[in-house]
Amino acid sequence: MTHSSLTDRSTEEPQTEEGRRSKLTRGLTLLNAFRPQDNEVQLSELARRTGLPKPTVHRLIKELVDQGFLERGRRGLRLGHTLFLLGSRAPQHQLLRRTALPCLQRLNEATGGSTYLSFADGPNVVHLDAVHSPSHQTMHRTDHCSVCASAARQAISSPAPAGRADGPQYTTVSGARGLVAVSAPVLGGSGTPVAALTVVGIMTHLRPEIAARHAQGAARTISRQLQEPWEQPSY
């Protein structure tokens, strides 16, 4: 009897552990279904994006809401504060934001445009930080983010050839409502792009060639600081 009981327990444990891993994977799939432009997403849309059954999505949502990974809004679900807290603890992103913020502010003052620090997340572009020009506060922020994302994506995917003396190349993209974006890649320790620094402004007020020169200089400054030896603080 004892031998039979031990045998049953040993066969059940791997199944339980596998079930936990599978549930974790489904939860992560659900969180990854949110896109940068999403504000709130309905349960049915999350089920469609993930291919998971609605009852499964409903159960996962309840647990993710309980843990703060998701929040319920008026029109659906949105990413919760727990994800923000976890993301803010990522050491490389902390270093990148801390290094870039003074450059974003100086770039904003030098060009008069709104300035963005962005990185690529697969096919999407995520804006880590921004300094907005007061004259742009009344404009549609979506238009700003859209033209910025286009320029940043090109800058990150098309870095300057190795050995160029003039530093990172830049890209210029025109957008809706007379907007123009100028973006330069920020290089990490291996010399590959890790982010982009972008200036967005109205085409009649922002001179791309001047904005490009300032953006390139700011990107070089950030790149040099990122490539310096850095030790993660001990806790």
Side-chain angles (χ1 to χ4, degrees):
M1 292 294 295
T2 303
H3 177 73
S4 175
S5 175
L6 289 173
T7 302
D8 291 342
R9 188 180 297 112
S10 65
T11 58
E12 288 176 4
E13 287 177 352
Q15 294 176 359
T16 302
E17 184 63 27
E18 177 61 28
R20 289 175 180 171
R21 287 196 295 267
S22 178
K23 190 171 185 178
L24 174 62
T25 300
R26 292 196 298 268
L28 293 174
T29 299
L30 191 63
L31 294 174
N32 280 319
F34 284 83
R35 299 165 182 167
Q37 67 271 24
D38 288 335
N39 185 11
E40 296 177 359
V41 183
Q42 294 182 348
L43 184 151
S44 58
E45 176 61 15
L46 289 173
R48 187 192 69 80
R49 293 182 186 181
T50 60
L52 295 172
K54 286 185 180 180
T56 300
V57 173
H58 185 272
R59 288 194 298 270
L60 289 171
I61 285 174
K62 183 182 183 306
E63 294 190 30
L64 291 169
V65 168
D66 289 343
Q67 296 297 321
F69 289 99
L70 289 178
E71 296 175 352
R72 298 187 188 275
R74 292 184 178 181
R75 299 184 178 181
L77 286 303
R78 56 176 177 256
L79 297 177
H81 66 280
T82 300
L83 285 174
F84 173 79
L85 293 175
L86 287 174
S88 66
R89 296 171 190 166
Q92 288 300 332
H93 280 181
Q94 286 182 2
L95 177 63
L96 180 58
R97 294 185 70 178
R98 187 169 60 246
T99 304
L101 184 56
C103 293
L104 284 174
Q105 293 169 336
R106 289 195 294 269
L107 188 58
N108 167 262
E109 294 170 358
T111 64
S114 295
T115 55
Y116 293 81
L117 173 68
S118 314
F119 72 95
D121 180 20
N124 302 312
V125 172
V126 179
H127 304 306
L128 270 179
D129 220 335
V131 176
H132 296 287
S133 173
S135 61
H136 298 163
Q137 294 298 330
T138 58
M139 299 190 67
H140 290 275
R141 191 64 54 81
T142 303
D143 294 331
H144 269 230
C145 292
S146 177
V147 69
C148 175
S150 297
R153 186 182 296 108
Q154 291 185 32
I156 293 170
S157 61
S158 303
R164 283 185 65 104
D166 55 351
Q169 288 181 320
Y170 67 91
T171 58
T172 303
V173 173
S174 299
R177 302 178 189 273
L179 291 173
V180 62
V182 179
S183 187
V186 175
L187 308 182
S190 61
T192 58
V194 295
L197 208 59
T198 308
V199 186
V200 179
I202 303 172
M203 200 173 300
T204 54
H205 295 84
L206 185 72
R207 296 180 60 183
E209 64 278 7
I210 295 178
R213 187 168 67 248
H214 287 294
Q216 286 178 300
R220 280 195 295 269
T221 298
I222 299 171
S223 299
R224 281 196 300 268
Q225 294 185 47
L226 290 180
Q227 291 165 12
E228 291 176 353
W230 177 76
E231 295 183 2
Q232 183 175 351
S234 58
Y235 296 99

